[in-house]
Amino acid sequence: MLKCNCLRVAFLLFSISSFSQKGTLSGRVNDLEKNPVENAVIALITPKDSILYRFTRSDKEGKFLIKNIKSGKYILSISNSLFADYVDEVEIKENENNLETIGLFSKSKLIEEVIIKGGSIRIKGDTTSYRASDYKVDVNANVEELLKKLPGIQVDKNGEIKAMGESVKKVLVDGEEFFGDDPGMATKNLRADAVKTVQVFDKKSDQAEFTGIDDGKSQKTINLKLKEDKKKGRFGKIDNSAGPLEDQDPRYNSNLMLSAFKGKRKISAFLLNGNTGQDGLDWEDSDKFGGENSDVTMNMDDDGNVSYQWIGGNNDDEPQVDTQNGFIKNTNGGLHYNNKWNDKQTLNLSPKFNNQNYTNNNKRYNKSQIGITQLNENTSTATNVTRNNYKFNASYDIKLDSLNTIKINTKTNFYATTSNEFTDGTTTDENGVLKNKSQKNLDTKSDKQSLMASVLFKHKFAKLRRTFSMNLSWSSLNNESDNYLKSDNESFISGISSSIISLNQNKIGKKTTQNTNVNLVYTEPIAKNWALQLGYQIAYNTGKNNQLTYDFSTLSNQYDLLNSGLSNQFEQTIVVNKPNLIMSYNSKKINYSFGSGFGFTFFDLIDQTFNKEYKRNYTNLFPSASFSYKYKNNGNLRINYNGSTSQPTIDQLQPLRNNQDFFNQIIGNPDLKQSFTNSINISHNNYNILSESHMYQGVYFRTTSNLITYNRDIDIDNAKTTSKAINTNGNFSGNFYMGYGFKIKKFDLDAGINPSISYNKSMISINNVLNNSKNINSNFSFYFSKSEEKSYEFYINNQFSNNRNSTSLNNEVKSFNTYNLSIDASYYLSKNWKISTDYNLYTRQKTDDFQSNLTNQIWNVRVQRTFKNDEFTAYFLVRDILNQNIGIERYNYGNVIGEEQNDRLKRYAMIGFIWNFKNKQ
């Protein structure tokens, strides 16, 4: 009995307690215009099992009240047939809980603004997808014009693309390379209306894509997914234009692009021919075969962007062809073939040809501070170049069965160049007293061949995530050069001539480097989300560089006197063994990996001329880690860390003097060590569908030990400089960038800001004394754009930049500002008539070294008329109406500040006609 009474008392107390912990929920439901929403269903759902707990309806004033609710957390759902559902989490506390006013989206407005506009962008994992049809471009526009419309993507005046602040290295079409690895071929020549979706992502290596374990090797990539109806029949474009130019050859451009699709077969061909400089080398090519400077350099372009290079000298020293400067006649042609059979075999072929005839006049002024002495160097160079280039890229994918695949890649690149350079230069001190003067004529003939082949075998075991892969690769670069150098070089002491040295030499070079690489990777799942990767890599690098210099003999009237001081035969062998281990974790939202490789490097260098051998061994640790967090559907965070080595080139190792510029000579150093770089990259991007805004941020840090740079030994008396390759420590660089784009709905304007700041600290060595060089570059830009289909469109961008440079040589800070205003606008005079214009204002601030502002304005106009449903277009254009296209750049690095001027194509007019044809089956 006592037990029963105790139970009754306990039950009564529990009931009283439960009753005392209940509460009420009240609020009001309105639409976005603050009108009450009647008869909306307000429901509370238990989050544990999604069971309906309580519900009510709103009254005529939109108010609602739910009573007798147990304290705790619930899911609040509000629904009405005319409005989008509202879902949120709420916590009910005892007594009254008032949610005040809740606004509902009208379904019609939601469909209009969110599904059509907001749904234009989707983020899934690391991939951002844009629905191309939602971004209006001009009829017959190319993909480059489409990319300029996409939030988070910028295309500069040179056609270089940045996505989420990072440079795009590859542009694919339906997941396949298009005309090899030239990003510009797809963006400039494919029609925008053929694209269904634009995808932006970090393309991992084939190895990482197969294993699912990030190896840190990725490239920012754009994939263009074509519409199904554009994969049938034929389409293309023929564009011809021409116009006279005073005192010069007439301007002309002839562009032809043809594509044919049938099933899974794609064939495309192009032929570009012109002399306006718009169809030069693709902007990736200069990194592979272009001319290179021979020192630590920092350059700033017209937009205030800073680029650094730590590069060794070339003994062949090909002249650089920069299509933004000088005058060029160019012919580009190519073919692209892609086909799939039975979803098991894929073949991709891309042969290309390029011919260039280039002329340029370059003037350069450099001011160097050497202690208390100032050296002023003035040079002028006239360049004439003829270059032929043949490329052939091919890939073949074979799916042997459901578990085994093989991918074969080959690339070839052949260059043949002939050129002539005439250089006239003087160097003075700060008082104008002459230190030296020289005249040089250099005739160059060179042939380069680059060959590459790789085979990737991938095998999946029956057990999920257990894999094995083997990657074999081989590459070779051969260069043969035959150069003739004639120069007169005069030295002065206190302004009085002290010596004259004349050179008449024939330099014959033959350089070959080969690299063989084997990479084995095995992955093993060790838990539901965990996997282990074991790998082994061996790299075998060999190189030969035979450089012979012959002086001219007046007796034989031939170049038959071997100059032993300027001749050398050199061989190198570098072997790297690298076992590695990586752990990875993969889940729906979080993925990370960490591990390390161990590098055992062996150097064997043989100086055959002096019968010397240099051997050395290094042991390195190659740590790596990556982390990605997808915290919501439209937002993700990525962190990558990597440690890597760089081997010195054969030019940097070979103790051979390069005297092509008598007063600025370069010599290699066989005692160089390999450099090691630690880098960390952090990036984040997010897109808000409802507010139509996007944001991205990125930061990287990079530090390099044993960085390969040059010591400059400068003779103050005659300003002769000898640069020798050395290793330095204390080199650091960092960068922060971000972008925020948003919609100003009241005016239907797209707007955005893009700030960035970079810091670079490098060690410079002058007369064997190390000095710090520090550079800070900050940028801030903002833009507005608006368009109305078949009516008008405009884009306005303002960019402000500041560059600050200082060295420990004199503790003086060099600082200057740049400003760039860019306006692109189009207006439809009628359905078929359109006028387009673009305007750029460049302003560079005067400094103590340059006592005048450098300002120029570039204004272009085009008027066009379309016919026959936009199939034909006739146009008239004028470039550089104000005739101010001056090729002047200012730069500041280390202890040098300077200005460079190049020829530029100024004002000209052209009349053209375009035939766009498509879907002719």
Side-chain angles (χ1 to χ4, degrees):
M1 186 70 178
L2 178 62
K3 181 179 180 180
C4 183
N5 289 333
C6 288
L7 289 172
R8 290 175 180 174
V9 171
F11 179 78
L12 179 62
L13 292 173
F14 178 79
S15 300
I16 294 172
S17 176
S18 299
F19 180 79
S20 66
Q21 291 179 7
K22 291 186 177 181
T24 62
L25 179 67
S26 62
R28 180 172 178 165
V29 182
N30 284 349
D31 61 18
L32 294 183
E33 295 178 356
K34 299 183 179 180
N35 299 314
V37 176
E38 183 183 1
N39 212 28
V41 177
I42 296 91
L44 289 176
I45 300 170
T46 55
K48 182 178 180 180
D49 49 16
S50 300
I51 294 176
L52 178 64
Y53 176 70
R54 294 276 193 277
F55 81 96
T56 187
R57 292 181 180 272
S58 59
D59 60 20
K60 291 183 178 180
E61 296 178 351
K63 296 179 179 179
F64 65 86
L65 175 67
I66 302 178
K67 299 180 179 180
N68 201 24
I69 309 171
K70 290 182 181 180
S71 300
K73 294 183 179 180
Y74 296 86
I75 297 174
L76 172 67
S77 172
I78 303 176
S79 60
N80 182 285
S81 60
L82 299 178
F83 296 87
D85 292 346
Y86 175 91
V87 180
D88 199 4
E89 293 182 352
V90 295
E91 182 176 1
I92 302 300
K93 300 179 180 178
E94 61 180 83
N95 299 324
E96 184 176 355
N97 299 269
N98 190 349
L99 298 179
E100 298 182 345
T101 300
I102 297 173
L104 299 184
F105 277 95
S106 166
K107 278 189 176 179
S108 61
K109 188 170 183 62
L110 187 69
I111 290 173
E112 176 188 352
E113 293 191 1
V114 178
I115 295 178
I116 293 179
K117 296 181 181 178
S120 302
I121 302 179
R122 296 181 184 274
I123 299 177
K124 184 178 180 181
D126 294 334
T127 301
T128 302
S129 299
Y130 302 85
R131 189 162 57 202
S133 60
D134 292 347
Y135 300 91
K136 304 304 179 184
V137 294
D138 192 16
V139 293
N140 304 322
N142 61 16
V143 170
E144 187 175 287
E145 296 302 313
L146 171 64
L147 295 181
K148 292 178 180 179
K149 301 279 186 178
L150 305 185
I153 297 181
Q154 297 89 38
V155 183
D156 71 8
K157 61 181 181 295
N158 300 323
E160 295 188 36
I161 308 166
K162 283 190 175 182
M164 307 304 172
E166 298 181 56
S167 296
V168 172
K169 300 298 184 183
K170 278 184 175 290
V171 176
L172 307 176
V173 178
D174 284 332
E176 303 288 344
E177 286 190 350
F178 188 71
F179 287 106
D181 52 3
D182 178 358
M185 289 310 305
T187 59
K188 292 180 180 295
N189 296 299
L190 279 181
R191 296 170 57 93
D193 60 10
V195 178
K196 178 182 179 182
T197 306
V198 178
Q199 297 175 321
V200 180
F201 60 98
D202 291 311
K203 188 180 188 309
K204 298 180 175 63
S205 66
D206 290 337
Q207 195 91 38
E209 289 178 350
F210 173 62
T211 62
I213 298 176
D214 195 346
D215 59 7
K217 299 175 183 178
S218 63
Q219 294 179 314
K220 186 66 74 176
T221 301
I222 288 178
N223 181 39
L224 307 172
K225 296 188 69 174
L226 301 182
K227 298 174 182 176
E228 289 301 320
D229 64 326
K230 303 300 181 182
K231 299 179 183 180
K232 302 175 183 177
R234 299 181 297 273
F235 66 89
K237 179 178 75 172
I238 299 175
D239 183 353
N240 287 290
S241 57
L245 190 62
E246 187 176 355
D247 299 328
Q248 292 189 40
D249 294 335
R251 299 297 100 186
Y252 64 90
N253 275 311
S254 298
N255 300 336
L256 169 66
M257 183 76 184
L258 302 172
S259 294
F261 294 87
K262 184 177 181 181
K264 295 183 178 180
R265 186 196 68 191
K266 292 182 287 188
I267 301 177
S268 297
F270 74 94
L271 178 63
L272 313 176
N273 184 32
N275 63 358
T276 64
Q278 68 179 26
D279 299 317
L281 284 173
D282 56 278
W283 45 267
E284 286 286 306
D285 221 37
S286 61
D287 295 335
K288 302 166 189 170
F289 294 99
E292 295 177 338
N293 296 321
S294 56
D295 207 341
V296 182
T297 64
M298 191 285 300
N299 293 299
M300 170 174 282
D301 63 19
D302 289 332
D303 296 332
N305 300 312
V306 176
S307 61
Y308 278 82
Q309 290 180 309
W310 289 275
I311 301 173
N314 286 336
N315 283 330
D316 54 306
D317 274 345
E318 271 200 27
Q320 181 163 356
V321 174
D322 180 2
T323 57
Q324 297 301 310
N325 296 312
F327 302 97
I328 184 170
K329 295 179 181 179
N330 187 77
T331 301
N332 248 320
L335 179 70
H336 176 76
Y337 175 84
N338 181 268
N339 205 351
K340 292 184 179 182
W341 297 274
N342 303 320
D343 292 326
K344 290 186 177 181
Q345 299 180 63
T346 302
L347 179 64
N348 195 317
L349 303 174
S350 293
K352 289 194 295 183
F353 166 75
N354 176 253
N355 169 263
Q356 296 175 332
N357 290 283
Y358 176 78
T359 62
N360 184 35
N361 289 289
N362 171 277
K363 294 182 179 180
R364 184 186 291 265
Y365 167 75
N366 284 341
K367 184 171 78 172
S368 305
Q369 194 70 36
I370 315 297
I372 61 173
T373 303
Q374 176 181 303
L375 298 178
N376 301 318
E377 182 181 1
N378 284 277
T379 60
S380 60
T381 302
T383 302
N384 293 275
V385 181
T386 299
R387 175 178 288 168
N388 292 308
N389 174 219
Y390 305 87
K391 289 184 179 181
F392 182 79
N393 293 354
S395 66
Y396 185 39
D397 283 280
I398 311 168
K399 186 176 181 181
L400 301 175
D401 52 41
S402 60
L403 300 177
N404 299 284
T405 60
I406 295 177
K407 183 176 183 179
I408 302 171
N409 280 310
T410 62
K411 293 184 179 181
T412 62
N413 199 341
F414 299 92
Y415 265 96
T417 303
T418 59
S419 67
N420 172 263
E421 283 188 346
F422 179 78
T423 302
D424 192 354
T426 61
T427 303
T428 63
D429 64 13
E430 63 272 18
N431 298 314
V433 178
L434 199 60
K435 294 283 187 179
N436 65 56
K437 69 177 181 178
S438 66
Q439 285 190 339
K440 178 187 71 173
N441 189 81
L442 177 64
D443 289 307
T444 299
K445 181 179 181 181
S446 68
D447 292 288
K448 293 182 180 180
Q449 304 91 38
S450 172
L451 307 174
M452 189 281 288
S454 67
V455 178
L456 175 62
F457 170 74
K458 299 182 292 185
H459 173 73
K460 291 183 179 180
F461 292 89
K463 185 176 181 179
L464 190 65
R465 295 188 293 143
R466 178 183 289 171
T467 68
F468 171 76
S469 60
M470 178 173 62
N471 194 358
L472 309 176
S473 64
W474 172 85
S475 62
S476 173
L477 177 62
N478 303 307
N479 180 32
E480 296 184 4
S481 60
D482 189 6
N483 304 334
Y484 291 88
L485 171 68
K486 293 181 180 180
S487 66
D488 294 312
N489 310 281
E490 187 172 3
S491 299
F492 294 81
I493 296 178
S494 300
I496 300 173
S497 178
S498 60
S499 67
I500 299 176
I501 298 177
S502 297
L503 302 177
N504 188 1
Q505 298 171 337
N506 176 209
K507 297 175 178 290
I508 300 174
K510 186 174 183 180
K511 179 168 60 177
T512 301
T513 58
Q514 293 189 26
N515 186 68
T516 303
N517 194 297
V518 180
N519 192 19
L520 307 175
V521 176
Y522 173 79
T523 62
E524 176 68 25
I526 56 178
K528 180 181 178 181
N529 300 107
W530 287 90
L532 173 67
Q533 175 178 298
L534 298 173
Y536 187 84
Q537 181 180 8
I538 182 169
Y540 183 74
N541 179 280
T542 61
K544 293 183 179 181
N545 192 6
N546 298 328
Q547 301 291 331
L548 303 177
T549 297
Y550 295 91
D551 290 320
F552 183 78
S553 171
T554 54
L555 296 177
S556 64
N557 204 33
Q558 292 182 357
Y559 295 92
D560 54 11
L561 300 176
L562 180 67
N563 189 321
S564 58
L566 298 174
S567 301
N568 189 261
Q569 294 176 301
F570 194 82
E571 291 185 5
Q572 72 173 28
T573 300
I574 302 174
V575 182
V576 180
N577 287 276
K578 184 179 174 183
N580 62 81
L581 183 150
I582 298 175
M583 292 285 292
S584 71
Y585 174 86
N586 292 276
S587 67
K588 186 176 181 180
K589 287 192 173 183
I590 295 178
N591 297 280
Y592 58 86
S593 65
F594 56 90
S596 180
F598 298 88
F600 305 96
T601 305
F602 169 71
F603 276 73
D604 186 6
L605 312 177
I606 301 175
D607 187 336
Q608 295 176 329
T609 301
F610 294 99
N611 195 26
K612 290 184 178 181
E613 186 172 15
Y614 307 85
K615 290 187 177 182
R616 64 199 64 156
N617 292 280
Y618 299 100
T619 300
N620 290 110
L621 190 67
F622 297 93
S624 64
S626 67
F627 173 84
S628 66
Y629 174 44
K630 183 184 176 184
Y631 58 90
K632 61 179 182 179
N633 288 337
N634 296 332
N636 60 69
L637 172 71
R638 285 182 61 86
I639 303 174
N640 285 286
Y641 163 77
N642 189 49
S644 61
T645 62
S646 295
Q647 314 299 338
T649 67
I650 195 169
D651 288 319
Q652 294 167 335
L653 290 167
Q654 186 172 16
L656 176 67
R657 185 180 299 272
N658 182 345
N659 72 330
Q660 288 187 2
D661 184 346
F662 182 82
F663 290 106
N664 293 280
Q665 300 189 21
I666 305 166
I667 188 169
N669 179 8
D671 293 319
L672 284 178
K673 301 175 182 178
Q674 60 182 0
S675 64
F676 188 86
T677 299
N678 290 285
S679 62
I680 183 170
N681 290 269
I682 304 173
S683 63
H684 165 261
N685 66 76
N686 173 57
Y687 179 73
N688 189 310
I689 293 177
L690 293 179
S691 65
E692 297 185 62
S693 63
H694 72 274
M695 177 179 288
Y696 61 83
Q697 302 89 21
V699 60
Y700 79 76
F701 303 96
R702 187 170 293 120
T703 179
T704 303
S705 58
N706 289 324
L707 178 70
I708 300 172
T709 180
Y710 285 81
N711 171 69
R712 289 188 291 160
D713 191 354
I714 303 174
D715 186 334
I716 298 299
D717 291 331
N718 61 10
K720 184 177 181 179
T721 300
T722 301
S723 299
K724 183 177 182 179
I726 61 171
N727 295 106
T728 62
N729 291 306
N731 304 283
F732 171 83
S733 63
N735 175 263
F736 169 78
Y737 61 88
M738 69 165 290
Y740 175 56
F742 53 94
K743 171 78 74 173
I744 304 176
K745 295 186 177 181
K746 183 177 180 180
F747 303 103
D748 193 28
L749 276 175
D750 290 310
I753 59 173
N754 295 282
S756 68
I757 184 169
S758 63
Y759 173 81
N760 290 272
K761 176 190 173 185
S762 58
M763 303 302 296
I764 60 175
S765 179
I766 298 177
N767 294 334
N768 297 307
V769 177
L770 287 174
N771 302 275
N772 287 326
S773 175
K774 300 177 182 178
N775 180 269
I776 300 176
N777 180 255
S778 53
N779 286 274
F780 181 82
S781 66
F782 63 90
Y783 66 86
F784 299 96
S785 68
K786 184 175 181 179
S787 64
E788 185 173 328
E789 190 175 4
K790 285 291 185 180
S791 180
Y792 66 88
E793 61 181 42
F794 68 85
Y795 174 86
I796 301 174
N797 182 71
N798 286 270
Q799 178 170 299
F800 304 86
S801 301
N802 174 261
N803 181 270
R804 295 173 61 86
N805 190 80
S806 63
T807 69
S808 56
L809 282 168
N810 49 26
N811 293 319
E812 182 181 3
V813 176
K814 303 285 188 178
S815 176
F816 62 90
N817 300 320
T818 62
Y819 169 68
N820 175 215
L821 168 65
S822 176
I823 301 175
D824 288 277
S826 299
Y827 180 73
Y828 282 85
L829 303 171
S830 65
K831 180 181 178 181
N832 298 318
W833 281 95
K834 177 185 174 183
I835 183 169
S836 303
T837 184
D838 60 271
Y839 170 83
N840 281 275
L841 169 66
Y842 301 98
T843 298
R844 281 137 289 187
Q845 180 191 19
K846 66 180 181 180
T847 66
D848 292 338
D849 303 285
F850 301 104
Q851 293 297 313
S852 62
N853 288 325
L854 183 60
T855 300
N856 64 309
Q857 304 172 75
I858 308 298
W859 180 25
N860 307 315
V861 173
R862 169 174 166 145
V863 180
Q864 70 177 47
R865 167 74 157 86
T866 58
F867 305 88
K868 197 180 177 182
N869 297 322
D870 300 325
E871 183 176 352
F872 299 103
T873 303
Y875 62 89
F876 171 74
L877 63 84
V878 183
R879 299 286 186 186
D880 188 23
I881 293 176
L882 303 177
N883 208 32
Q884 294 186 17
N885 189 17
I886 53 175
I888 299 179
E889 294 183 3
R890 290 175 178 173
Y891 47 87
N892 187 7
Y893 63 89
N895 66 321
V896 177
I897 188 166
E899 181 176 274
E900 180 179 358
Q901 183 173 354
N902 292 279
D903 284 344
R904 284 281 177 91
L905 182 59
K906 291 189 175 183
R907 181 169 53 208
Y908 66 93
M910 301 175 74
I911 295 175
F913 187 81
I914 302 174
W915 177 27
N916 281 279
F917 51 92
K918 55 185 177 179
N919 294 332
K920 305 292 185 180
Q921 299 190 36

